[in-house]
Amino acid sequence: RSQIIKTDLRLRDYNRLHLMIATAGGAISFSGASMSSASLTTTGTPSGLSTTGVSSGISAGHSMSGQDQVIMAAQDIAFSLRQIGFDTVDRTQDADMVVLFSIGTVRYDPLAGWIADRAFIEFKDTKTGSVVCSIKANVQFITPTINTLVKKLVSEVKRYY
């Protein structure tokens, strides 16, 4: 869903954007794998017992941060906005508009990858502070991936450019 506040306005009227992460939530995902085997043999001999053993193992693991995924999503949005024709600037003072990016709790799904329930993007005029455009990537029956949410937001921005 999207809402353009000023119907006669096009986002291209505000060429220089400063992108900020307004709110975000991220989880930490841990994953690991292991494989091992062991063999132990004890044999009786005239002088006593003899034991031999063999063991081997492979182990791997890593942790991933949802916060890192949020930052990467914001970078993807900035890249896509530059492709549309916007110029992204580092300082709010240099911008015509501030773009606030907000995403729900980001978590890792072993089948789908990084997912989140929702995402918003809001364009605010830096001179007046008023909201010019607000876009929400809708919640779906199946929780969308972060990439899907970013693509939906950017496709809506293109409609108003």
Side-chain angles (χ1 to χ4, degrees):
R1 292 182 297 188
S2 59
Q3 176 185 23
I4 188 101
I5 306 302
K6 300 176 182 178
T7 55
D8 61 335
L9 183 73
R10 301 303 284 178
L11 291 177
R12 72 173 60 97
D13 296 339
Y14 299 87
N15 186 43
R16 292 174 303 165
L17 303 176
H18 177 70
L19 181 66
M20 299 174 63
I21 300 174
T23 58
I28 295 178
S29 174
F30 296 98
S31 63
S34 65
M35 183 174 77
S36 63
S37 65
S39 172
L40 184 63
T41 307
T42 303
T43 325
T45 64
S47 60
L49 294 175
S50 172
T51 305
T52 58
V54 176
S55 70
S56 64
I58 297 173
S59 176
H62 64 281
S63 64
M64 298 175 277
S65 167
Q67 287 300 115
D68 292 343
Q69 298 301 314
V70 171
I71 291 169
M72 288 189 334
Q75 290 170 338
D76 288 345
I77 287 175
F79 179 80
S80 297
L81 292 176
R82 285 191 296 271
Q83 282 185 317
I84 293 170
F86 290 105
D87 180 23
T88 55
V89 295
D90 293 331
R91 300 179 330 152
T92 306
Q93 308 86 288
D94 299 334
D96 299 322
M97 189 179 303
V98 172
V99 179
L100 302 173
F101 170 62
S102 174
I103 192 164
T105 302
V106 172
R107 57 206 182 278
Y108 186 76
D109 180 276
L111 299 175
W114 287 99
I115 59 173
D117 297 316
R118 61 175 178 75
F120 294 91
I121 193 168
E122 195 168 72
F123 293 80
K124 287 188 173 188
D125 186 318
T126 54
K127 291 183 181 86
T128 65
S130 63
V131 175
V132 175
C133 180
S134 182
I135 299 170
K136 176 185 177 185
N138 286 332
V139 176
Q140 302 174 6
F141 177 69
I142 297 173
T143 306
T145 65
I146 294 174
N147 289 337
T148 301
L149 291 170
V150 167
K151 286 177 186 175
K152 285 184 175 191
L153 291 175
V154 171
S155 69
E156 278 296 299
V157 170
K158 286 180 183 178
R159 287 183 47 202
Y160 297 109
Y161 187 72

